Amino acid sequence: EKLENLIAQKKPVFIDFTAKWCLTCQVNKKLVLTRPKVLKHFEEKGYTLLVADWTEQDNSITQALARLGRSGVPTYVVYSAPDFEPEILPEILTLSMVLRAAQ
């Protein structure tokens, strides 16, 4: 619901589908997603950052992943102008990849 409201308002969104037990998720978080340069970029571009924590395999998150054609984590999704269609990033992130996707 929150995502739908943000998209309706034409606000860019980055969603991190993650889990505490997911090693790749934790590495991406440490090496890319929490880097000051990335966080500043998201802020400057007006992104809302959403975290979908699938640690307990919540059914609503499972359904959201299925709608994206995914069955697990990590999954990273960018919604941005002009069409606000989901852009799914690779499971292993790089700094330049995230900066480029979040324009």
Side-chain angles (χ1 to χ4, degrees), residues 30-86:
K30 182 175 182 162
L31 296 180
V32 178
L33 296 177
T34 59
R35 299 273 302 270
K37 184 174 185 172
V38 171
L39 295 174
K40 182 178 180 188
H41 181 81
F42 281 138
E43 183 180 338
E44 288 173 350
K45 299 292 183 178
Y47 272 79
T48 297
L49 307 178
L50 300 178
V51 175
D53 186 346
W54 201 51
T55 300
E56 303 292 326
Q57 296 190 353
D58 179 277
N59 193 46
S60 63
I61 295 173
T62 302
Q63 291 173 4
L65 286 165
R67 284 191 297 275
L68 293 164
R70 302 298 293 254
S71 60
V73 294
T75 297
Y76 305 100
V77 187
V78 177
Y79 292 86
S80 61
D83 58 8
F84 287 87
E85 290 296 318

Side-chain angles (χ1 to χ4, degrees), residues 3-41:
L3 174 62
E4 291 171 9
N5 289 337
L6 290 165
I7 291 172
Q9 296 173 44
K10 302 292 187 199
K11 294 187 177 185
V13 180
F14 181 92
I15 305 176
D16 174 5
F17 287 88
T18 187
K20 291 178 182 162
W21 45 259
C22 171
L23 181 60
T24 303
C25 301
Q26 301 311 314
V27 170
N28 284 333
K29 182 178 182 178
K30 182 175 182 162
L31 296 180
V32 178
L33 296 177
T34 59
R35 299 273 302 270
K37 184 174 185 172
V38 171
L39 295 174
K40 182 178 180 188
H41 181 81

